[in-house]
Structures are given as structure tokens and as C-alpha cells.
Amino acid sequence: MAEPAPHELDTEQAWHSIPAPEVLELLKTQSSGLSADEAALRLKAQGPNQLEDASPPSVLSLIVYQFQSPLIYILFLAGAATLLLQEWVDAAVIFAVLGLNALIGFTQERRAELAVHALGKLVSPKARVIRDRQDHDIPSVDLVRGDVVRLESGMKVPADLRLIRTTNLRVDESLLTGESLPVSKDPEPVEPGAAVADRRGMVHAGSVVLSGRATAVVVGTGTSTQIGAIAKGIRQTRRGETPLQQRMNRLATIVGVVVAISAVLAMIIGIVLGESWTDMFLIAVALAVASVPEGLPVVFTITLAVGVRRMAARNAIIRRLPAVETLGSTTVIGSDKTGTLTENRMRAVALRIGDQAVDLDHPSHEAPSLDRVARIAILSSEAVLGSETTNETGDPTEIALLELARRLGAEPAQVRAQYRSLHEIPFESELRYAATFGELDDQRWVMTKGAPERILEMCTTQADGEPLDPERVRQAIADLASEGLRVLGLASRRLSPEEPLTDQSLRELDLAGLVGLMDPPREGVAEAIQGCHEAGIRVIMMTGDHASTAQAIARQIGLLTDGGRTITGAELDQLDELDLAEQLSEIAVFARTSPEQKLRIVHALEEAGEIVAVTGDGVNDAPALKAAAIGVAMGRGGTDVAREASDMVLTDDNFVSIHAAVETGRVTFANLRKVTFFLLSTGAGSIGAILGSLVLGMSLPMVPAQLLWMNLVTNGLQDLALAFEPGEADVRTAPPRPRTEGIVSWLLWERTVISGIVLAIGTLWMFQDVLGRTDSLEEARTVALTTMVLFQVFQVGNARSEFRSVFSKSPFSNPFLFLATLAALGVHLLALHWSPLQTVLRVVPITDPWTWVRMIAVASSILFVIEMHKLIRSAARKAARSRSQA
């Protein structure tokens, strides 16, 4: 069999376990690179080095998405029925409602998608490659397997690379692995089964070179990279329904069943009473059309859009409208650590000089020992702090040391200007230290920083010249490390003119101090986690970082308490599904986890009945973000892959914003529940009045046009205004809603039935009273319609709270509702007196003042009935809570 041409090679190997010379041989290349002709052939065979386009969804797909709801399907059926009955006005109104609903939803979601897409690209646009034995800067999309690439400090890694040669190479892989500290790299192979974070001889696309240089060969491009495989997987994963969508589907089913039963029941009653099949069929269809809550899809969309706007004000972009409520249902938040709970920036948080811990918030700038620490920190570091016109560059640890020096009163630029470097020993992972030799203040110095155990071996005295006690220093190192800090030792001494500028002079040094560094928690995170706990939401950490670091942060922010456990990814792999399910409630921190393990954790939580929110910024978080009920990605520091997998994007990358969004989500759901109860309870009154009139042998109290007017105009104005209702006092501390609980609770279904009975009885009584006195069917129907409109005015007040009295809420706390109620009354009065609307609605003016008094008195009865229901149910609720606590 003929050997394949080099450009046709598509080998899948554990490249990290193969020595570099063999990798070059397998890829049919050499350290001097490919020729331009061979690279062109390989590019044609392998395709460009880019991920699939993650552009925003098309306009058409977003429009189609707006019609994918059972409530919308019911409206389509209702519209079709009105067309068959040739009720052109009713049909026009229904299809106008469908169009308005789609327009609102499309506008909001299109804006969100464009905002997310504008947040930027991850992959480096340029790469430095060796071709035809010369260096070239080419677009990274043109890289192919077998290309030899050069890396330098500050570059983004353009593809998956196997290292050939390195010089002091340190790489930031946090977006891929969750590792918060820079990783030292070298060409040495490791075991085939090594995790991505432990592959020393590999650098992966999307990582950033912090310091050093390297030559490497491309072993994976595009979807064949680690980031590409994850991106491809999440695009092929179907996004599940949100809890709200599931609840909406159940509600639509209930509404559809009730409407169908009502129509069939009306038809049967009419036929039993001697009416013709044809007449009763038309009445049944008219009842079905009139009893469908046409305004519900629109008010749902507007309520969610209001929630989206409120979340945007709190730094959260919602990509799909139903997701706005999901955080309010969340029972578990699985959060990434680096960049979400923490600042994703190394800082010096502890300094020990001798036996003393220095207060870094109020250091004494006059102390010579602090001045020495600052000088060593500055002169042994190559990083540069940023200014108003330049960005900071260099290793994050060295940047943290420079910031420490500045806090101690030394300005890096000024100290460096006074120093003349004579020799440097750069940091190597084998050496575990870096050193500088030079002249300062007319004296020669050696200054070094590194692993504290290594620095301790070089020292004999403390900063004050007293003999060093190695055991006490080791204990100090252990104490700092136990707090999850990365510890560095700083040391120096004056050199005599004859001493060599080599590692032979790294002896008898003065230990200037021990510095503890960490990526600290974000401000407000501890309070946000406490708020989540008070709201009944469990917060867990899922990170690729080391267990000790994760535990330290978790303890600081109140996430890991005495009863909580920490397990690593390796330990997780030892648990089968049953063991994991049994231990899941005890584990607060999952450390050193891979993307697949994070996904497994999410699935296990969902199997346990939890509604899971996942936060993250890296490629390693993307599968879990996609699988969760709601995925929350970071907008500033996050990757395109993570944002594409998410339902919500935080523009400030802060966990505190998630806590605020939980509150907004709960308020949004509460408002959805209020508007749904209001619409269904008044709709129940309409159905009850129609069925009651048939049973009692009365004329229909309202015609379909009047029912539609009530549903869409007078009812609709107030319903829309309920979307702006502010949250109630207990919204933050109430426990999450059970997954099985619908948009309308059993309590509100009970209240809906009671309301429907009261509204039906009151409306029929007024209808029959006026019909008996005036013998005018048109006037009686006008009074029945107006009575129902007045019922709505009082019922909307009842709907503002599930348990609180209507009299305990100021009518001005929601000015939109107050104005909408006045507008609904005004519009209805206009209809009674304006000839065009009189003709369409078949109404007449009501001129008798006593009729108005009776209508208002009857309509206000709903306040008394619902207040009594709230009182009884609130008492029962308190008694149940007392029994459960006892």
C-alpha cells in the first residue's frame, strides 16, 4: 500500500507522550519548517485553522422561534376558526396579536445576540511561522499541521502545538484548564493519559504566552484542537427547554383542555335544551375563540422583556427571553472559580519579614526592611506595569510583585533607572528561582526570588542580620501555604568586587521576606453567596485549579463550611453514578476537573431534581454551560465558545451580578404569575357567564366582539402594566420554586375558580336585572360588559400579591398600573359613546346613574371575596410552617 503524501496526513496521536523528533517525523516535517508549496497543499487538504462561524442566528430563524409556543398554536387555531366563521374583525385582531408578540420577542432577542457577538473573538489573528527556512507572519487561519511556529512573550497560541525547544516558557492556560497560575512548559513528553493541564510539552490554541520563547510544531488546527473539539460538541448538543418553557407548555395544555371542554359542554347544553346543532356549533366556536386568553402570549413576552431590561441594568445580557426567569427557579449554582468568584489577577496578600506579618493595608514606608523587599521585587522581575497609555506586560506573578513594591512606597520605573544590570539568571522550572546581579547606590548586589524552600537553602541570616532559624521559616512557609497562597521567597546581599556574577554567589544571603500571593475573591462575592444561601440556593465550585487553592478561596467566600467536602477530578472518576448521587449533597468544591467531568456533575445534579445554573468563562466550561438549565458566561474575559454555549452573558464578569439576576428572575416569574392569574380569572368569569346563561335558558350576555374587546383592550392594558410590578419584600429569601410547580399554583387555580364564579354571578345578575327593566338586549349586554370591565379594575388589585392584602399595597408603587387602569376605564367609556366603536361592539351609552352605582357595588364584591380567601389561606400557610418547624 502506498504511503500517503505529507499533505494528506491526518494522524490522531497522543502528541504530548511522543518525543519531539518523532512528532516531526510523523508529521513529515522538520525543525526548519515546511515549504510554501507543501503548506498550500496541506491547507487545501486540511482546511483553514478556524472554528465554525459562530455568527448570530439568522433573522428568519429568530422569527420562526417566536411562534414556537403552545399558546401561539392555540391562537392560530382560534384565528383559523374566526376566518371560517367570517368574523373578519375578530380574525384581524387575533393575527395582529400574533404579529405584535413576534415583533417584541424578535427585537429583544436579536439585540441580545448582536451584543453577545460583538464581544470579540478568541483566536489570534496572526502567527509567526517558519516556511522555506525563513520566518513569516501569516494569518493564523492559514496554519497547517506540520508548520513550525515561533512563540514569544505576549503572543496568543494560534493552534495546538507540540513544543520542540523552549526558553523559560510560561503560559496562561486558565481559559482552557481553569488553572489560575502560569504553567511552565518544556518539550519533555509525559504519560499518554495525562490530563490537558498536565501536558508540559503541549500548548493549546487560545492560551497566552506570558514569558519566554519557544519553537513548536502544529499538531492540531481548527476543530482538531482542544478548543475546536469542545466547540463542535456543544454546537451539536440540543439546548433543552427552560423551566419556564416547560411551565408554559403545561399551562397551554390546561388552557386548551378547559377551552375545549367549555365549548363541548356549551354545545351539549344547548342541544339538550332544544337548540339546533348548527346554532350551537357556531356558539361553541365563538365561546372557544372568546375564552382563549389572546393577550397572554403578548403579556408573557413583554413581562420577560421587562425582566431583560432590568437584568441589563444589572450587567446581564439575556440571549433567550424564557431564560430571564430560569435563575429565579435555580436551586444550585455551579460556579467556575478563576475570573468569576475571583479577580483572575494575582495579588500579594501577605508579607512576612522575620517573625512579623506586615500590614499591607498600612505599611510603614520608612522601614528599611520594606524598602529592601520592594527593591528585590522590582529588580528581579521583567514585567512592566501599565499606565494611562500602555498596557501591563509580563508574568502575572511579577506584576503582583511590582504592585506590592508600589504599595510599599517604591516606584518601579525610578528604582530601575538607578540600577545597572550586570548579569541575569532567568527563571527555570528546574532551578525554581530567578536572580539578578547589578549595581545600585554604587554597590554590587545579588537579588533573587523563587520557591521559598529553594531560597531558604541560599540564606544564612534574616533581613536584620540575625542568624536564620530554618525551622521557623519552614513553619511560616507552611502557614502561608495552608491558606492557599503561593509563597515566594525574596533574598539579597551585597557582593564584593571580586565575587563572580554566577550562581556560585547565591550563598549566605539575607532572607528579605516571604510573600504570599493569590488570585483574591472579587469584592461582594462572599455577600452574594450568603444571599444565595438565604434564598435557598446552593452554590458549588467547579474549577480546573488545584484543590488547595480552590479550598482556600471557597473558605474565604463562605462557600466551603465545616460540613462541606472537596474532591478532585481524579477522585470523581473513581465514583460510579450511584456513589456520586449519594455524595453529591456533601461536596462543595470540585477541583482539578475536566470539561467532561463538569458536564457529568451537571447531569448528576439534574438527575437529582435540581435546576442548575452554571457560570464560567473558559473553553473548559462550555459543555456544562450548554447542558445546564441556564448557562452564564463572562462577557469581558470569557471566550467566544463559552458565550456561544450560554443563555446569559455577564458584562462585568462578576458573580455578584448573578445574585442580583436571581432576584430579577424571581420578580419576573412573580409578575408572570400575576398577569396569568389576572387573565385566567377574568376569562373564567367570561366562560362562567356564557355557560350559566345557556343553563338558565337566558340570552348570551355578551357577543364575541365584546369578549375580544375585554380580553385585548380593557383587560390587556392592565395586564401589561402588571409586568412592571416591583418585587415583594420576601422575594430574596423565599425558597426556590419546585420544578413541578406551574406558572399558576394550586392556590391560584383555586382562586381562579372562585373569581370566575363571582364574576359570572355578578355579570349575569346585572344582565338579567337590566334586561328585565328595559327589555333591551343591547343595553343589557352593554351593562354586562361594563360590569365585567369594572370587575377587572378591582381584580387587578387582587392580582398584585398572592398573599398580601390589596389595601397594604400603595396604588402608586406601580404607576404604570394606576395609569393603565384609568386608561382602561377611559377607553371603555369612549367605546360606549363613540359611534364607530358602538357599531363594532354593539354597545350603547349607559345613562342611568343608579345602574352605575349597582355595577360598581357588584364589581367591588370581588375585593371582599378574595380578601377573605387570602386571609384564610395565609393563616393555613403560617400554621403549616409552624408544624414543619416544630
Side-chain angles (χ1 to χ4, degrees), residues 18-84:
I18 304 173
E22 291 184 30
V23 172
L24 294 172
E25 184 177 346
L26 283 169
L27 292 173
K28 306 296 182 183
T29 187
Q30 50 192 340
S31 58
S32 56
L34 299 171
S35 68
D37 291 340
E38 175 59 27
L41 288 172
R42 294 193 182 194
L43 182 61
K44 185 176 180 180
Q46 300 170 11
N49 174 35
Q50 62 184 14
L51 304 181
E52 294 176 16
D53 182 27
S55 57
S58 68
V59 171
L60 180 60
S61 65
L62 276 181
I63 291 175
V64 170
Y65 178 76
Q66 307 310 316
F67 294 97
Q68 296 176 357
S69 163
L71 284 175
I72 298 296
Y73 304 153
I74 291 175
L75 277 191
F76 268 118
L77 290 175
T82 54
L83 288 175
L84 289 174

Side-chain angles (χ1 to χ4, degrees), residues 667-700:
V667 172
T668 299
F669 182 82
N671 289 348
L672 286 173
R673 174 167 280 182
K674 291 168 186 175
V675 300
T676 305
F677 164 69
F678 177 57
L679 267 179
L680 293 182
S681 62
T682 53
S686 301
I687 293 173
I690 299 295
L691 291 177
S693 67
L694 290 172
V695 172
L696 296 173
M698 299 163 53
S699 300
L700 290 177

